[in-house]
Amino acid sequence: TATFTVTLSSASAATVTVGYATVNGTAAAPGDFTAASGTLSFTPGSTTRTISVAVSGDTAVESTETFTVVLSNPVNAIVADGTGLGTIVNDDVPLDPCAAAF
């Protein structure tokens, strides 16, 4: 799971909402991650919320891949930095063609 933390610069006396959605990059849904979208709500006084994106495990040897989470449509706030980068690092090792199997 890739976790993105969304933080308000300061607590608000009003409820703050902001939409979010994943966007394909070199990583693409549904093969590399599960697309996610929705709305985050910050109750008065709260400053932090998280977005969780399920990353798909596989055994394919491939390059490190990326996708983004984009924030939109803020209510009672202004988005200062509306894009978060998710990186899926390859953790698979190519098979050695000279390796013996038993």
Side-chain angles (χ1 to χ4, degrees), residues 6 20 25-26 32-33 48 53 58 63-64 66 70 79 83:
V6 180
Y20 68 89
T26 53
D32 298 311
F33 66 94
T48 305
V53 178
D58 62 28
S63 301
T64 295
T66 61
V70 177
V79 174
T83 304

Side-chain angles (χ1 to χ4, degrees), residues 8-9 20 26 28 35 41-42 44 48 50 55-56 61 63 74 84 86 95 97-98 100:
L8 300 179
S9 58
Y20 68 89
T26 53
S41 293
F42 296 82
T48 305
T50 59
V55 174
S56 304
V61 177
S63 301
L95 294 176
C98 297

Side-chain angles (χ1 to χ4, degrees), residues 25-102:
T26 53
D32 298 311
F33 66 94
T34 302
S37 63
T39 302
L40 295 178
S41 293
F42 296 82
T43 56
S46 67
T47 58
T48 305
R49 296 286 312 224
T50 59
I51 300 166
S52 295
V53 178
V55 174
S56 304
D58 62 28
T59 57
V61 177
E62 52 195 351
S63 301
T64 295
E65 300 173 305
T66 61
F67 65 96
T68 55
V69 174
V70 177
L71 301 179
S72 62
N73 303 318
V75 175
N76 295 323
I78 296 171
V79 174
D81 180 3
T83 304
L85 182 66
T87 302
I88 302 171
V89 178
N90 178 59
D91 63 352
D92 301 301
V93 181
L95 294 176
D96 183 348
C98 297
F102 293 96

